[in-house]
Amino acid sequence: MEANAPAKKRIFSGIQPSGELTLGSYMGAIKNWVSLQDEYNCLYCIVDMHAITVRQNPADLRRRSVNQLAQYIACGLDPAKNIMFIQSHVPQHAELSWVLGCYTQFGELSRMTQFKDKAAKHADNITAGLFTYPVLMAADILVYQADLVPVGQDQKQHVELCRDIAQRFNGVYGDTFTLPEPFIPKMGARVMSLGDPTSKMSKSDPDGCVYMMDKPEDIMCKFKRAVTDCDACVKFDKENKPGISNLLSIYCAATGKTVDEAEAAFAGQGYGIFKPAVAESVIELLRPIREEAERLTADKAYLESVYKDGAQKASYLAEKTLRKVYKKVGFVAR
């Protein structure tokens, strides 16, 4: 690198291990992460602390956390180029979250769309953790002085709150935190459910969800059952044909074709040909990832070395920010 070359910007992002990674996780997030790893300094986190805002089976959470790391690497994320770690292994996330919570207004948190949605779905378990989730998310980002946060549209509100908290703290104590910008990919950022194409593909909707580790025959069955419409015309029209539009988006993301090319390829052909073709494109996209993830999952020692090394590097960066924050708010140095 030349002496006067500009420093690479820093990116932070994470996915909960609250269920198996989905096709939406891959196309909307991880695939884009892979394309960023040469241009940016990236930290990718398995956010297990966020996952427990909803009750988890402990053994399943541990298994999924490690398996998710294997899938990250199988997707093309290189541990030599990215810092990859498990959130609970870096205690500075939780420590900074408490401080930031003291600079976050109750009203701000009560207006968070995701809190309202999750509270409605889990009415018997509306915890303080679910309410303060965006503060921990702000700590995740700010503790690394991240410049950019790759997010879907549904998380953009949380990044905006993160910026508000950072600006409030900076306003009181002077320049402390970098103000992060949301980084929203233009293509494939939002894969919709196969069962309800008006809703995002989600782990909470297993019938409409394709998982990255699904067997080929299961993927084919799910796409054949995908909700479409009755006019049998393969055309992108999000308003009037949400199901077909979703399948076209998935097909284009899997094959690299444009929407126009895909529409031309299936002109005059019915859904009985189109849906299996989309399934086949996804099967071939995920096949090498699934096979490599299975190989890596069996190598427990290697995965442990990756997440331990990642946590060590992440902790070093996080501690620099935390020390600065603790000094500014008046804590005695430890």
Side-chain angles (χ1 to χ4, degrees):
M1 183 186 286
E2 295 175 18
N4 60 351
K8 288 182 178 179
K9 288 191 173 182
R10 187 173 291 166
I11 277 179
F12 173 89
S13 196
I15 295 176
Q16 289 189 37
S18 54
E20 304 303 327
L21 288 175
T22 70
L23 177 66
S25 308
Y26 176 65
M27 289 184 166
I30 303 167
K31 188 178 178 183
N32 295 303
W33 295 357
V34 174
S35 68
L36 302 173
Q37 62 187 355
D38 291 317
E39 193 178 343
Y40 299 93
N41 289 324
C42 302
L43 297 104
Y44 294 124
C45 182
I46 294 145
V47 289
D48 55 343
M49 292 167 70
H50 286 294
I52 64 168
T53 57
V54 175
R55 292 282 181 270
Q56 302 290 331
N57 177 291
D60 286 346
L61 182 61
R62 275 189 287 274
R63 175 185 58 80
R64 285 195 303 258
S65 295
V66 177
N67 289 358
Q68 189 164 302
L69 176 63
Q71 289 165 40
Y72 280 0
I73 299 168
C75 287
L77 287 172
D78 184 348
K81 295 179 179 178
N82 306 282
I83 297 175
M84 289 186 278
F85 62 100
I86 296 170
Q87 183 186 26
S88 60
H89 291 182
V90 182
Q92 292 90 344
H93 287 245
E95 291 183 77
L96 182 60
S97 180
W98 171 254
V99 176
L100 297 183
C102 298
Y103 294 83
T104 307
Q105 299 300 309
F106 184 91
E108 290 175 311
L109 294 177
S110 64
R111 288 192 291 274
M112 291 289 107
T113 304
Q114 277 210 331
F115 170 71
K116 293 175 186 175
D117 291 346
K118 287 193 175 183
K121 287 178 185 173
H122 304 281
D124 58 338
N125 187 38
I126 304 173
T127 64
L130 189 63
F131 187 67
T132 60
Y133 173 106
V135 181
L136 179 57
M137 186 174 170
D140 298 336
I141 297 163
L142 297 177
V143 80
Y144 298 111
Q145 305 290 353
D147 299 288
L148 298 167
V149 186
V151 289
Q153 286 287 353
D154 59 329
Q155 289 282 354
K156 193 177 176 185
Q157 188 185 30
H158 286 166
V159 179
E160 289 167 354
L161 177 64
C162 174
R163 285 174 57 86
D164 290 343
I165 296 169
Q167 284 177 313
R168 186 174 296 134
F169 193 95
N170 288 352
V172 175
Y173 297 106
D175 189 23
T176 308
F177 295 117
T178 299
L179 297 185
E181 297 283 350
F183 184 88
I184 301 173
K186 290 183 173 66
M187 183 62 193
R190 199 165 171 84
V191 176
M192 311 307 280
S193 166
L194 300 184
D196 176 10
T198 62
S199 299
K200 181 182 170 185
M201 184 177 282
S202 167
K203 304 166 192 174
S204 60
D205 172 26
D207 292 337
C209 190
V210 174
Y211 298 101
M212 282 176 54
M213 301 300 285
D214 273 349
K215 294 175 182 174
E217 58 269 28
D218 294 332
I219 295 173
M220 182 61 74
C221 283
K222 288 178 180 181
F223 275 98
K224 283 183 175 178
R225 292 199 307 264
V227 169
T228 52
D229 52 54
C230 54
D231 72 359
C233 174
V234 179
K235 184 172 177 59
F236 192 90
D237 181 348
K238 213 166 183 178
E239 190 172 332
N240 298 307
K241 297 169 72 69
I244 290 299
S245 299
N246 184 40
L247 294 180
L248 273 169
S249 294
I250 292 170
Y251 180 78
C252 291
T255 61
K257 287 180 165 49
T258 65
V259 171
D260 288 344
E261 288 169 342
E263 286 179 345
F266 294 101
Q269 301 186 48
Y271 298 163
I273 292 173
F274 175 58
K275 291 205 282 188
V278 180
E280 200 58 47
S281 72
V282 170
I283 288 166
E284 292 312 311
L285 176 73
L286 296 181
R287 188 189 303 279
I289 295 171
R290 188 185 74 251
E291 291 172 355
E292 177 64 1
E294 287 170 350
R295 185 190 72 77
L296 289 166
T297 300
D299 193 345
K300 300 282 190 253
Y302 170 70
L303 292 175
E304 184 176 335
S305 72
V306 172
Y307 67 66
K308 281 187 173 179
D309 181 62
Q312 190 173 17
K313 290 174 178 172
S315 290
Y316 173 77
L317 295 172
E319 185 61 24
K320 289 203 290 188
T321 297
L322 192 69
R323 277 203 308 268
K324 185 194 293 186
V325 168
Y326 274 15
K327 184 177 180 181
K328 291 203 172 191
V329 299
F331 292 167
V332 175
R334 57 187 176 190

